[in-house]
Amino acid sequence: MATMAQQLATRVRTTSAQARSRGIVRKTKQFARNVKVMASAAPSALTPPHGGKLVDLMVAEDKKEAVRASATKTVALSDRNACDVELLVVGGFSPLEGFLNEEDYNSVVETMRLTNGTILGLPVVLDTDDESIEVGDKVLLSYEGQDLAVLTVDSKYKPNKPLEALKCYGTSSLEHPGVQMISMERGKYYIGGKVEGLGLPKRVFPCATPKEVRAMLPEGKDVVAFQCRNPIHRAHYELFTRALGAENVGEGAVCLVHPTCGPTQDDDIPGIVRYHTYEVLKEEVDNPQVRWAYLPYSMHMAGPREAIQHMIIRKNYGCTHFIIGRDMAGSKSCLSGEDFYGAYDAQDFAKEHAPELGMQTVPSLNIAYTKEKGYVTADVAKAENLTTLSLSGTKFRKMLRSGEEIPDWFAFKSVVKVLREETTN
């Protein structure tokens, strides 16, 4: 039987007509109008971006045609590549102004720093198999027929992929999905150089830029980022709303729920489906302490080093704090099922580097549902000998497919409705 993720994947290519029927196109246009107005009056007293300046690589409208015409070669971008180009152009990867050259790539792999000493969790690279591309070339970066940017090549090199895997992922085993990606999906060469933006990928779901997200945030208040790549259920909601009460979070803080909607693991629910669940949940909870935005980021499942990458990105989007979950961005062997990272490796690594990044971490609480008191922390449940209830992901998916009633304490009705619709249609 096909997995739920496989069933949902058949619906990823949602047509415009289907989107309109759900009101998505209307909401997307309204969202774009709202953020444009807010961005024009963005508050200045927000946390500074990584490196001190929010990068904006988009070319002025009257110069785009000349920049496009300067390109003599073209590279067709993968879904992952397109996410990286978008984050470069809008400043999500600030202070980067393009893909890493060989020196910076080697430095980041070995030391988690650019050659100028700036910390960077993972190398941001563009791969190709094109033998004809040379240093000095201007390359048009195209994605599904849309011209996104022009790259001026200042470096072309053969990466040491086994070393990259070992240093960045902690293993060179092909049992790790990230190692599979760099070894089996990426091309022979990496090309580095500055990027000039021509446009952003057209998506059914809107991905607000760092400037636009910053315009949504309260001035002078803490902003706690919550990263996820799956639909949000009750325990997740309890986790990130309770994080606003953490000892190191100030009064009047807000939580930015900032899910990644780019490629993740093969068995994850597709981004467009996740987006639908977030939108209905946003309306259901209607919480003024929670902001919502979507991140066009491709997950690497690199554990501790990816936690650093996420913190850098969220700092660029205006966040002061970052919730670090157990085994964040972790992965299991595709053969043995063994975890590649310890449960608290990412938390410890992020906490170690947080002062340099100018952010604070908020450890993810271990939340449990009890018959007597509802959601409490696991230590309270144990101390008071409360009766806990649990529902495994496997059991939840089985109940979704069979039409069984999902307990309200586990999942939001609006989210369940969307997942059932996407599974059966």
Side-chain angles (χ1 to χ4, degrees), residues 13 60 141-142 218 226 246 251 264 306 319 322 324 333 344 396 423:
R13 304 276 182 191
L141 306 181
S142 176
F226 177 70
E251 186 177 348
T264 55
E306 188 153 29
C319 299
F322 189 68
I324 303 287
S333 164
Y344 301 101
F396 172 65
T423 304

Side-chain angles (χ1 to χ4, degrees), residues 109 131 163 258 306 417:
V109 167
E131 298 282 353
L163 182 64
H258 205 202
E306 188 153 29
K417 183 173 184 291

Side-chain angles (χ1 to χ4, degrees), residues 309-325:
Q309 199 84 334
H310 278 291
M311 290 176 72
I312 291 170
I313 292 170
R314 280 7 184 271
K315 182 179 181 183
N316 288 329
Y317 278 82
C319 299
T320 59
H321 294 64
F322 189 68
I323 300 172
I324 303 287

Side-chain angles (χ1 to χ4, degrees), residues 20-195:
R20 288 191 183 91
S21 70
R22 297 182 65 119
I24 299 300
V25 168
R26 174 180 55 79
K27 292 179 181 179
T28 300
K29 290 179 178 178
Q30 183 61 51
F31 173 88
R33 287 194 292 268
N34 290 345
V35 295
K36 185 175 181 180
V37 171
M38 289 189 292
S40 65
S44 57
L46 293 172
T47 188
H50 192 47
K53 178 185 176 183
L54 189 63
V55 170
D56 182 356
L57 303 180
M58 189 64 72
V59 174
E61 199 64 41
D62 61 348
K63 296 181 179 179
K64 286 183 179 179
E65 194 51 49
V67 171
R68 182 184 287 106
S70 71
T72 57
K73 292 170 182 172
T74 300
V75 166
L77 301 173
S78 67
D79 290 342
R80 292 182 182 273
N81 294 151
C83 287
D84 288 343
V85 170
E86 182 170 0
L87 285 173
L88 282 170
V89 170
V90 302
F93 283 141
S94 294
L96 299 185
E97 296 184 355
F99 289 102
L100 299 189
N101 61 28
E102 187 172 12
E103 288 186 357
D104 276 324
Y105 163 77
N106 288 330
S107 181
V108 171
V109 167
E110 290 276 10
T111 70
M112 207 171 73
R113 295 179 185 278
L114 299 168
T115 52
N116 66 8
T118 303
I119 190 171
L120 187 67
L122 296 168
V124 179
V125 297
L126 179 63
D127 64 290
T128 183
D129 284 317
D130 193 332
E131 298 282 353
S132 72
I133 293 176
E134 299 177 347
V135 171
D137 283 344
K138 287 185 176 291
V139 180
L140 182 65
L141 306 181
S142 176
Y143 176 64
E144 296 187 346
Q146 185 185 359
D147 297 337
L148 298 188
V150 169
L151 167 69
T152 300
V153 181
D154 68 18
S155 182
K156 181 181 181 181
Y157 52 100
K158 290 183 181 179
N160 186 336
K161 292 184 177 181
L163 182 64
E164 178 184 349
L166 186 61
K167 292 288 187 177
C168 296
Y169 299 87
T171 178
S172 56
S173 171
L174 288 175
E175 296 174 34
H176 189 294
V179 177
Q180 287 183 25
M181 182 271 292
I182 64 173
S183 303
M184 300 165 67
E185 293 180 23
R186 284 183 179 168
K188 179 180 180 180
Y189 302 102
Y190 290 172
I191 50 177
K194 290 193 174 183
V195 166

Side-chain angles (χ1 to χ4, degrees), residues 276-293:
H276 289 157
T277 67
Y278 302 139
E279 285 294 289
V280 295
L281 180 58
K282 179 170 65 174
E283 293 183 7
E284 179 175 343
V285 299
D286 192 25
N287 187 336
Q289 284 189 288
V290 179
R291 307 287 191 273
W292 301 76

Side-chain angles (χ1 to χ4, degrees), residues 218 220-226 239-256 289 319-324 359-365:
K221 300 294 184 181
D222 287 339
V223 180
V224 181
F226 177 70
L239 187 156
F240 66 71
T241 52
R242 288 173 184 241
L244 295 174
E247 291 182 356
N248 62 337
V249 177
E251 186 177 348
V254 299
C255 178
L256 174 66
Q289 284 189 288
C319 299
T320 59
H321 294 64
F322 189 68
I323 300 172
I324 303 287
M359 293 190 75
Q360 297 187 53
T361 61
V362 181
S364 173
L365 294 174

